[in-house]
Amino acid sequence: MARRPSAAEQAMSLEQLDGWLQMIEPPPKVTGTSMLDGYLTAIVIGPCAIPPDEWMVDLLGHRGRIANAAGAALAAITAIAGRFNAISEDLSIAPGRHAPIFEKTDDGRVLPHPWCMGFLAAMQLRIEAWRPLLNRDRIEHGLMLPILLHCVDAAGQPVLGPPRKGPETVAFLRSAYHDIPPVIREIRAFWMPSRVRQAKGQP
């Protein structure tokens, strides 16, 4: 778990963090708090623990070097650590109440794509460890479908291939995000035995 910020450290609000992530150059791996939330969720529930020093640099580049952070970068890191800890605690204590941060249009329509792309970005840090859930021959692969459904590859093509055309597909894609919160809990449960073994130093 990322360290908790001390009372002496002042974190950005999530709204301030969203603006900071969109402003800094070179750009970070995530473009706002929704994509960040997906990234952090994958770190929390993934197949193995990843040191904060590693994923924070992957996320923010040189600004993510925790030991050297100061000013706005420190405030951002503190806010990110706070959200990481909140996700971890929610899923440990009250998993049914955990709510991903999805972007929304002005008329309230949910846009799950940024969150899912953040999740996929974090998977790349340990992509080989994720292989059991990426194997389409395994029934557990179904846990990844609500997330991968909203992801594209480096060429901008759907990770799961082009969807079928028609109004039914459009309606399905607009509502498929409802399946993401339950699969977050199921993915966490799938990896929990291996996480426990790792924590005990067992193979």
Side-chain angles (χ1 to χ4, degrees):
M1 180 181 290
R3 73 175 182 86
R4 293 181 178 278
S6 69
E9 294 172 332
Q10 184 174 358
M12 294 178 179
S13 67
L14 288 178
E15 183 177 358
Q16 290 170 328
L17 180 61
D18 189 74
W20 184 82
L21 289 169
Q22 296 179 47
M23 176 187 68
I24 58 175
E25 291 290 344
K29 183 160 283 188
V30 299
T31 57
T33 50
S34 180
M35 195 172 181
L36 170 68
D37 196 63
Y39 184 101
L40 296 177
T41 302
I43 299 294
V44 169
I45 70 172
C48 53
I50 302 176
D53 286 341
E54 179 182 349
W55 60 257
M56 199 73 80
V57 170
D58 177 69
L59 190 62
L60 300 177
H62 69 89
R63 294 180 180 85
R65 296 191 180 109
I66 296 172
N68 300 326
L74 177 59
I77 286 173
T78 303
I80 291 169
R83 181 56 187 168
F84 177 96
N85 289 328
I87 294 169
S88 182
E89 290 178 6
D90 282 353
L91 293 174
S92 296
I93 299 171
R97 294 205 303 265
H98 175 70
I101 299 175
F102 292 132
E103 286 188 13
K104 294 182 179 180
T105 62
D106 291 340
D107 61 0
R109 184 165 63 89
V110 171
L111 303 174
H113 170 76
W115 188 96
C116 295
M117 288 300 294
F119 193 100
L120 182 62
M123 288 174 61
Q124 305 307 315
L125 285 172
R126 296 292 188 275
I127 194 64
E128 289 305 316
W130 279 92
R131 291 295 178 197
L133 286 186
L134 297 176
N135 183 346
R136 298 190 181 194
D137 293 330
R138 295 184 58 153
I139 191 171
E140 295 91 349
H141 178 64
L143 297 176
M144 298 299 301
L145 296 182
I147 297 171
L148 297 181
L149 179 67
H150 301 285
C151 293
V152 296
D153 61 21
Q157 299 302 310
V159 168
L160 296 179
R164 294 180 180 178
K165 295 181 180 180
E168 296 85 359
T169 298
V170 173
F172 171 73
L173 289 174
R174 284 187 174 178
S175 62
Y177 73 90
H178 289 294
D179 292 329
I180 293 177
V183 299
I184 289 173
R185 300 191 293 270
E186 292 298 324
I187 292 170
R188 178 179 180 271
F190 178 85
W191 292 123
M192 187 57 67
S194 62
R195 294 286 291 254
V196 171
R197 289 195 301 271
Q198 292 163 25
K200 294 179 178 180
Q202 299 173 353

